[in-house]
């Protein structure tokens, strides 16, 4: 049973460029969340996608956008990269429950983005 | 808004000794609580979770955690650590409704000495 997969593993970009990160959820999961983990910090919630729509968003600028496909995989796009966007980007998948609250999230290995 | 505090930035423990990592949360209602472990350069692995019921939760790798509502705590314990337990540990909180995100603490780095 494949877990959450992310690509690429590492990425180096320069300021002002755009980047796309990809995530495939764990088999049977329908919800994808994205987190940013700066060095030495805990992960910070960016947004969550469910039924191909952004269901909740954290405190991140509009430069951060996403998409979810019919097969539940997801992309995170970041435009106009800043040095401060350098971080480990984590994707987490879950199975949406009926309670409307937080479901158990399973994380992928992450994509290490370096902005020069 | 919920918040999570992990008071200990770094803990060093001898192999075979017991380990306890502290986690305090701030939230108006009963939260969902999680502990994750992260090895260097890796993603997060779920150790255990608490949603309801028995306040002592067993997880993988011999870890357990106890939810104490009166103290707003969810401390992680292991009776005897192994060198492979050296990693960073994150406590996270979720909610019962209308909020789908996990809020994480800043993490505790565990070093295991021989």
């Amino acid at each position: 049973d494949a877990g959450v997969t992310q690509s690429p593993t590492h990425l180096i970009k320069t300021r002002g460029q755009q980047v796309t990160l990809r995530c495939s959820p764990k088999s049977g999961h329908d919800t994808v969340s994205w987190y940013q983990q700066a060095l030495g910090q805990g992960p910070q919630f960016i947004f969550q996608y469910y039924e191909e729509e952004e269901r909740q968003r954290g405190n991140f600028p509009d430069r951060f956008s996403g998409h979810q496909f019919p097969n539940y995989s997801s992309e995170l796009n970041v435009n106009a990269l800043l040095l401060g966007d350098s971080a480990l980007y984590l994707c987490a998948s879950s199975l949406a429950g009926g309670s409307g609250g937080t479901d158990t999230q399973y994380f992928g290995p992450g994509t290490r983005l370096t902005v020069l | 808004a919920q918040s999570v505090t992990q008071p200990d930035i770094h803990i060093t423990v001898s192999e075979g000794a017991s380990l306890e990592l502290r986690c305090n949360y701030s939230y108006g209602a009963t939260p969902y609580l999680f502990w994750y472990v992260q090895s260097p350069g890796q993603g997060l692995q779920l150790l255990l979770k608490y949603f309801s019921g028995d306040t002592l939760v067993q997880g993988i790798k011999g870890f357990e955690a106890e939810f104490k509502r009166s103290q707003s705590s969810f401390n992680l314990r292991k009776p005897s650590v192994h060198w492979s337990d050296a990693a960073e540990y994150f406590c996270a909180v979720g909610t019962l409704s209308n909020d789908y995100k996990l809020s994480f603490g800043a993490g505790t780095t565990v070093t295991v000495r021989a």
Side-chain angles (χ1 to χ4, degrees), chain A residues 33 35 37 40-45 48 55-56 58 88 90 99-110 112, chain B residues 32 34 36 38 41-44 46 49 51 88 90 93-107:
Chain A
S33 304
Y35 293 80
Q37 186 180 18
Q41 298 182 21
Q44 299 291 317
F45 176 76
Q48 185 180 88
R55 176 156 78 167
Q56 185 178 3
L88 180 68
L90 295 164
S99 66
T102 308
D103 304 302
T104 303
Q105 296 181 17
Y106 295 87
F107 286 79
R112 173 72 62 186
Chain B
Y32 292 161
F34 305 81
Y36 288 87
Q38 185 176 38
Q42 302 296 313
L44 302 175
L46 178 67
K49 61 185 178 183
F51 277 25
E88 188 152 24
F90 292 95
V93 62
T95 66
L96 282 169
S97 63
N98 299 319
D99 193 349
Y100 305 99
K101 70 177 182 293
L102 286 171
S103 296
F104 283 85

Side-chain angles (χ1 to χ4, degrees), chain B:
Chain B
Q2 64 265 38
S3 66
V4 182
T5 302
Q6 294 181 246
D8 304 304
I9 297 174
H10 192 188
I11 287 180
T12 298
V13 61
S14 297
E15 193 169 14
S18 64
L19 174 68
E20 181 167 13
L21 304 182
R22 296 184 290 164
C23 174
N24 295 99
Y25 66 90
S26 173
Y27 183 58
T30 300
Y32 292 161
L33 296 160
F34 305 81
W35 275 100
Y36 288 87
V37 61
Q38 185 176 38
S39 298
Q42 302 296 313
L44 302 175
Q45 182 182 22
L46 178 67
L47 285 175
L48 47 78
K49 61 185 178 183
Y50 172 78
F51 277 25
S52 65
D54 192 346
T55 57
L56 185 62
V57 180
Q58 301 298 319
I60 62 170
K61 303 185 178 188
F63 285 93
E64 66 177 25
E66 187 172 12
F67 171 58
K68 293 185 176 180
R69 184 191 306 273
S70 61
Q71 298 178 20
S72 297
S73 69
F74 188 56
N75 294 349
L76 181 72
R77 298 192 294 255
K78 185 169 184 176
S80 176
V81 300
H82 186 261
W83 64 266
S84 60
D85 293 322
E88 188 152 24
Y89 292 79
F90 292 95
C91 180
V93 62
T95 66
L96 282 169
S97 63
N98 299 319
D99 193 349
Y100 305 99
K101 70 177 182 293
L102 286 171
S103 296
F104 283 85
T108 298
T109 300
V110 173
T111 297
V112 180
R113 60 184 174 212

Side-chain angles (χ1 to χ4, degrees), chain A residues 58-108:
Chain A
N59 188 25
F60 279 81
D62 292 344
R63 297 188 297 109
F64 290 77
S65 63
H67 188 77
Q68 185 179 34
F69 299 94
N71 67 353
Y72 308 120
S73 66
S74 176
E75 289 182 348
L76 164 65
N77 301 292
V78 187
N79 294 323
L81 285 167
L82 304 175
L83 296 179
D85 295 331
S86 294
L88 180 68
Y89 288 85
L90 295 164
C91 169
S93 75
S94 55
L95 180 61
S99 66
T102 308
D103 304 302
T104 303
Q105 296 181 17
Y106 295 87
F107 286 79

Side-chain angles (χ1 to χ4, degrees), chain A residues 10-22:
Chain A
H10 296 88
L11 206 51
I12 299 176
K13 293 286 188 178
T14 57
R15 282 177 297 173
Q17 284 189 312
Q18 178 264 343
V19 69
T20 297
L21 310 182
R22 295 176 176 83

